[in-house]
Amino acid sequence: MLRHLSVLVITLVVAVTTSLAHQGERACTPEQWEAVVVGKVAEQSQGKFYIVDVVGKAAADYEKGVIGLSESVFSQGQYVGSYLYLNTKSASYLADVVNKHCQKLPPVTVEQPCSDSSWLTYRTSWLVGGTQWSDTYQHNNGSSKTTFTIMRDNFAMISENVEHVIGGVPQLVTLQYGNMTKGITDPSIFNIPSYCNI
């Protein structure tokens, strides 16, 4: 299960640092934002296919260089656990909140994504609800391919799909972002748990 969370965390970091908008005028994701996240992680291993569901909250503060993801994980409708991923300028943390277990990882550079970032390839645009445009981009990073869809008007992320191989196991991560808002209403998502002081 910790590997599933690691994949989701990597996905969030990539998403936070790579979303773009296809438009002539420069646009950026808000300097601080939070959103509800729901999704699935699917993998095939030793001839079996596994799927877990995730529900949680993601937040970013680019000025402070931090991102956080607090989530609950379910397998076949049964609660599996609660996890926190936190990336700061000095380290990243992957915490099992229920069992109070924590891994300290190297930090990932977090930058505010803007429409003039150069590492995404524009793919297509879609009319959503007949009135708003969304844009889809792709980011290839070695054996990983990530596809993002964002709203053009407010630069809010709608969804992402990540195809990659982790430890020889192919995985597909699909996330939907909802209610993405400017600002941080609950800064505790950025607090390093006391059991992570390793």
PDB file of all heavy atoms in Angstrom, residues 11-32:
ATOM      1  N   THR A  11       2.900  11.509  -8.496  1.00  0.00           N
ATOM      2  CA  THR A  11       1.955  12.064  -9.461  1.00  0.00           C
ATOM      3  C   THR A  11       1.552  13.473  -9.082  1.00  0.00           C
ATOM      4  O   THR A  11       1.507  14.365  -9.921  1.00  0.00           O
ATOM      5  CB  THR A  11       0.707  11.168  -9.522  1.00  0.00           C
ATOM      6  OG1 THR A  11       1.120   9.858  -9.864  1.00  0.00           O
ATOM      7  CG2 THR A  11      -0.291  11.685 -10.529  1.00  0.00           C
ATOM      8  N   LEU A  12       1.250  13.680  -7.810  1.00  0.00           N
ATOM      9  CA  LEU A  12       0.873  15.010  -7.356  1.00  0.00           C
ATOM     10  C   LEU A  12       1.997  15.998  -7.573  1.00  0.00           C
ATOM     11  O   LEU A  12       1.771  17.109  -8.033  1.00  0.00           O
ATOM     12  CB  LEU A  12       0.480  14.984  -5.881  1.00  0.00           C
ATOM     13  CG  LEU A  12       0.151  16.350  -5.273  1.00  0.00           C
ATOM     14  CD1 LEU A  12      -1.100  16.920  -5.927  1.00  0.00           C
ATOM     15  CD2 LEU A  12      -0.011  16.262  -3.788  1.00  0.00           C
ATOM     16  N   VAL A  13       3.219  15.625  -7.246  1.00  0.00           N
ATOM     17  CA  VAL A  13       4.363  16.519  -7.430  1.00  0.00           C
ATOM     18  C   VAL A  13       4.501  16.897  -8.898  1.00  0.00           C
ATOM     19  O   VAL A  13       4.679  18.062  -9.240  1.00  0.00           O
ATOM     20  CB  VAL A  13       5.667  15.868  -6.915  1.00  0.00           C
ATOM     21  CG1 VAL A  13       6.874  16.701  -7.311  1.00  0.00           C
ATOM     22  CG2 VAL A  13       5.599  15.737  -5.401  1.00  0.00           C
ATOM     23  N   VAL A  14       4.397  15.917  -9.777  1.00  0.00           N
ATOM     24  CA  VAL A  14       4.491  16.205 -11.208  1.00  0.00           C
ATOM     25  C   VAL A  14       3.364  17.128 -11.624  1.00  0.00           C
ATOM     26  O   VAL A  14       3.562  18.100 -12.349  1.00  0.00           O
ATOM     27  CB  VAL A  14       4.463  14.896 -12.038  1.00  0.00           C
ATOM     28  CG1 VAL A  14       4.331  15.189 -13.515  1.00  0.00           C
ATOM     29  CG2 VAL A  14       5.721  14.094 -11.772  1.00  0.00           C
ATOM     30  N   ALA A  15       2.167  16.863 -11.137  1.00  0.00           N
ATOM     31  CA  ALA A  15       1.026  17.684 -11.509  1.00  0.00           C
ATOM     32  C   ALA A  15       1.200  19.113 -11.030  1.00  0.00           C
ATOM     33  O   ALA A  15       0.922  20.065 -11.757  1.00  0.00           O
ATOM     34  CB  ALA A  15      -0.255  17.096 -10.923  1.00  0.00           C
ATOM     35  N   VAL A  16       1.639  19.272  -9.809  1.00  0.00           N
ATOM     36  CA  VAL A  16       1.807  20.605  -9.242  1.00  0.00           C
ATOM     37  C   VAL A  16       2.848  21.394 -10.012  1.00  0.00           C
ATOM     38  O   VAL A  16       2.743  22.592 -10.173  1.00  0.00           O
ATOM     39  CB  VAL A  16       2.195  20.496  -7.754  1.00  0.00           C
ATOM     40  CG1 VAL A  16       2.710  21.810  -7.228  1.00  0.00           C
ATOM     41  CG2 VAL A  16       1.000  20.050  -6.947  1.00  0.00           C
ATOM     42  N   THR A  17       3.835  20.718 -10.540  1.00  0.00           N
ATOM     43  CA  THR A  17       4.921  21.437 -11.191  1.00  0.00           C
ATOM     44  C   THR A  17       4.817  21.494 -12.705  1.00  0.00           C
ATOM     45  O   THR A  17       5.682  22.069 -13.346  1.00  0.00           O
ATOM     46  CB  THR A  17       6.272  20.817 -10.820  1.00  0.00           C
ATOM     47  OG1 THR A  17       6.286  19.454 -11.230  1.00  0.00           O
ATOM     48  CG2 THR A  17       6.523  20.934  -9.329  1.00  0.00           C
ATOM     49  N   THR A  18       3.742  20.914 -13.301  1.00  0.00           N
ATOM     50  CA  THR A  18       3.735  20.867 -14.755  1.00  0.00           C
ATOM     51  C   THR A  18       2.462  21.315 -15.448  1.00  0.00           C
ATOM     52  O   THR A  18       2.386  21.236 -16.661  1.00  0.00           O
ATOM     53  CB  THR A  18       4.050  19.445 -15.257  1.00  0.00           C
ATOM     54  OG1 THR A  18       3.056  18.552 -14.771  1.00  0.00           O
ATOM     55  CG2 THR A  18       5.426  19.010 -14.839  1.00  0.00           C
ATOM     56  N   SER A  19       1.423  21.760 -14.751  1.00  0.00           N
ATOM     57  CA  SER A  19       0.205  22.117 -15.462  1.00  0.00           C
ATOM     58  C   SER A  19       0.363  23.445 -16.207  1.00  0.00           C
ATOM     59  O   SER A  19       1.040  24.347 -15.769  1.00  0.00           O
ATOM     60  CB  SER A  19      -0.974  22.181 -14.490  1.00  0.00           C
ATOM     61  OG  SER A  19      -0.754  23.160 -13.523  1.00  0.00           O
ATOM     62  N   LEU A  20      -0.267  23.534 -17.387  1.00  0.00           N
ATOM     63  CA  LEU A  20      -0.181  24.710 -18.250  1.00  0.00           C
ATOM     64  C   LEU A  20      -1.542  25.082 -18.811  1.00  0.00           C
ATOM     65  O   LEU A  20      -2.456  24.295 -18.789  1.00  0.00           O
ATOM     66  CB  LEU A  20       0.733  24.413 -19.453  1.00  0.00           C
ATOM     67  CG  LEU A  20       2.197  24.156 -19.178  1.00  0.00           C
ATOM     68  CD1 LEU A  20       2.894  23.831 -20.487  1.00  0.00           C
ATOM     69  CD2 LEU A  20       2.817  25.364 -18.558  1.00  0.00           C
ATOM     70  N   ALA A  21      -1.656  26.258 -19.407  1.00  0.00           N
ATOM     71  CA  ALA A  21      -2.876  26.645 -20.116  1.00  0.00           C
ATOM     72  C   ALA A  21      -2.501  27.052 -21.535  1.00  0.00           C
ATOM     73  O   ALA A  21      -1.517  27.734 -21.746  1.00  0.00           O
ATOM     74  CB  ALA A  21      -3.557  27.811 -19.403  1.00  0.00           C
ATOM     75  N   HIS A  22      -3.275  26.613 -22.515  1.00  0.00           N
ATOM     76  CA  HIS A  22      -3.007  26.926 -23.916  1.00  0.00           C
ATOM     77  C   HIS A  22      -3.738  28.220 -24.261  1.00  0.00           C
ATOM     78  O   HIS A  22      -4.907  28.212 -24.596  1.00  0.00           O
ATOM     79  CB  HIS A  22      -3.490  25.777 -24.805  1.00  0.00           C
ATOM     80  CG  HIS A  22      -3.185  25.988 -26.240  1.00  0.00           C
ATOM     81  ND1 HIS A  22      -1.904  25.944 -26.721  1.00  0.00           N
ATOM     82  CD2 HIS A  22      -3.984  26.252 -27.290  1.00  0.00           C
ATOM     83  CE1 HIS A  22      -1.932  26.170 -28.022  1.00  0.00           C
ATOM     84  NE2 HIS A  22      -3.182  26.346 -28.374  1.00  0.00           N
ATOM     85  N   GLN A  23      -3.044  29.326 -24.131  1.00  0.00           N
ATOM     86  CA  GLN A  23      -3.621  30.625 -24.449  1.00  0.00           C
ATOM     87  C   GLN A  23      -2.483  31.604 -24.697  1.00  0.00           C
ATOM     88  O   GLN A  23      -1.369  31.367 -24.300  1.00  0.00           O
ATOM     89  CB  GLN A  23      -4.534  31.104 -23.320  1.00  0.00           C
ATOM     90  CG  GLN A  23      -3.880  31.060 -21.950  1.00  0.00           C
ATOM     91  CD  GLN A  23      -4.886  31.253 -20.843  1.00  0.00           C
ATOM     92  OE1 GLN A  23      -6.075  31.302 -21.058  1.00  0.00           O
ATOM     93  NE2 GLN A  23      -4.405  31.395 -19.635  1.00  0.00           N
ATOM     94  N   GLY A  24      -2.793  32.710 -25.382  1.00  0.00           N
ATOM     95  CA  GLY A  24      -1.765  33.658 -25.749  1.00  0.00           C
ATOM     96  C   GLY A  24      -1.198  34.428 -24.573  1.00  0.00           C
ATOM     97  O   GLY A  24      -0.032  34.768 -24.521  1.00  0.00           O
ATOM     98  N   GLU A  25      -2.005  34.744 -23.614  1.00  0.00           N
ATOM     99  CA  GLU A  25      -1.616  35.551 -22.473  1.00  0.00           C
ATOM    100  C   GLU A  25      -1.104  34.658 -21.349  1.00  0.00           C
ATOM    101  O   GLU A  25      -1.629  33.584 -21.105  1.00  0.00           O
ATOM    102  CB  GLU A  25      -2.881  36.298 -22.028  1.00  0.00           C
ATOM    103  CG  GLU A  25      -2.751  37.245 -20.934  1.00  0.00           C
ATOM    104  CD  GLU A  25      -4.092  37.953 -20.714  1.00  0.00           C
ATOM    105  OE1 GLU A  25      -4.711  38.403 -21.686  1.00  0.00           O
ATOM    106  OE2 GLU A  25      -4.490  38.030 -19.555  1.00  0.00           O
ATOM    107  N   ARG A  26      -0.060  35.083 -20.645  1.00  0.00           N
ATOM    108  CA  ARG A  26       0.527  34.268 -19.572  1.00  0.00           C
ATOM    109  C   ARG A  26      -0.487  34.063 -18.451  1.00  0.00           C
ATOM    110  O   ARG A  26      -1.129  34.995 -17.990  1.00  0.00           O
ATOM    111  CB  ARG A  26       1.772  34.948 -19.027  1.00  0.00           C
ATOM    112  CG  ARG A  26       2.491  34.120 -17.975  1.00  0.00           C
ATOM    113  CD  ARG A  26       3.780  34.831 -17.552  1.00  0.00           C
ATOM    114  NE  ARG A  26       4.689  33.922 -16.903  1.00  0.00           N
ATOM    115  CZ  ARG A  26       4.907  33.903 -15.591  1.00  0.00           C
ATOM    116  NH1 ARG A  26       4.287  34.768 -14.804  1.00  0.00           N
ATOM    117  NH2 ARG A  26       5.761  33.044 -15.084  1.00  0.00           N
ATOM    118  N   ALA A  27      -0.604  32.816 -18.006  1.00  0.00           N
ATOM    119  CA  ALA A  27      -1.488  32.465 -16.893  1.00  0.00           C
ATOM    120  C   ALA A  27      -0.718  31.541 -15.959  1.00  0.00           C
ATOM    121  O   ALA A  27       0.166  30.812 -16.391  1.00  0.00           O
ATOM    122  CB  ALA A  27      -2.738  31.770 -17.404  1.00  0.00           C
ATOM    123  N   CYS A  28      -1.057  31.605 -14.676  1.00  0.00           N
ATOM    124  CA  CYS A  28      -0.387  30.767 -13.686  1.00  0.00           C
ATOM    125  C   CYS A  28      -1.400  30.175 -12.721  1.00  0.00           C
ATOM    126  O   CYS A  28      -2.443  30.765 -12.454  1.00  0.00           O
ATOM    127  CB  CYS A  28       0.615  31.584 -12.872  1.00  0.00           C
ATOM    128  SG  CYS A  28       2.010  32.218 -13.820  1.00  0.00           S
ATOM    129  N   THR A  29      -1.043  29.023 -12.181  1.00  0.00           N
ATOM    130  CA  THR A  29      -1.793  28.455 -11.074  1.00  0.00           C
ATOM    131  C   THR A  29      -1.645  29.437  -9.906  1.00  0.00           C
ATOM    132  O   THR A  29      -0.594  30.049  -9.748  1.00  0.00           O
ATOM    133  CB  THR A  29      -1.210  27.082 -10.704  1.00  0.00           C
ATOM    134  OG1 THR A  29      -1.310  26.224 -11.843  1.00  0.00           O
ATOM    135  CG2 THR A  29      -1.938  26.451  -9.545  1.00  0.00           C
ATOM    136  N   PRO A  30      -2.679  29.601  -9.078  1.00  0.00           N
ATOM    137  CA  PRO A  30      -2.542  30.519  -7.937  1.00  0.00           C
ATOM    138  C   PRO A  30      -1.313  30.191  -7.089  1.00  0.00           C
ATOM    139  O   PRO A  30      -0.919  29.030  -6.980  1.00  0.00           O
ATOM    140  CB  PRO A  30      -3.836  30.285  -7.145  1.00  0.00           C
ATOM    141  CG  PRO A  30      -4.806  29.775  -8.151  1.00  0.00           C
ATOM    142  CD  PRO A  30      -3.992  28.972  -9.125  1.00  0.00           C
ATOM    143  N   GLU A  31      -0.728  31.231  -6.478  1.00  0.00           N
ATOM    144  CA  GLU A  31       0.469  31.024  -5.661  1.00  0.00           C
ATOM    145  C   GLU A  31       0.183  30.091  -4.487  1.00  0.00           C
ATOM    146  O   GLU A  31       1.034  29.331  -4.060  1.00  0.00           O
ATOM    147  CB  GLU A  31       1.011  32.356  -5.153  1.00  0.00           C
ATOM    148  CG  GLU A  31       2.356  32.207  -4.511  1.00  0.00           C
ATOM    149  CD  GLU A  31       3.050  33.538  -4.300  1.00  0.00           C
ATOM    150  OE1 GLU A  31       2.545  34.578  -4.737  1.00  0.00           O
ATOM    151  OE2 GLU A  31       4.119  33.517  -3.686  1.00  0.00           O
ATOM    152  N   GLN A  32      -1.028  30.156  -3.960  1.00  0.00           N
ATOM    153  CA  GLN A  32      -1.495  29.218  -2.941  1.00  0.00           C
ATOM    154  C   GLN A  32      -2.817  28.647  -3.418  1.00  0.00           C
ATOM    155  O   GLN A  32      -3.678  29.384  -3.900  1.00  0.00           O
ATOM    156  CB  GLN A  32      -1.745  29.918  -1.606  1.00  0.00           C
ATOM    157  CG  GLN A  32      -0.531  30.473  -0.932  1.00  0.00           C
ATOM    158  CD  GLN A  32      -0.912  31.131   0.390  1.00  0.00           C
ATOM    159  OE1 GLN A  32      -2.001  31.665   0.540  1.00  0.00           O
ATOM    160  NE2 GLN A  32      -0.013  31.076   1.356  1.00  0.00           N
TER     161      GLN A  32
END
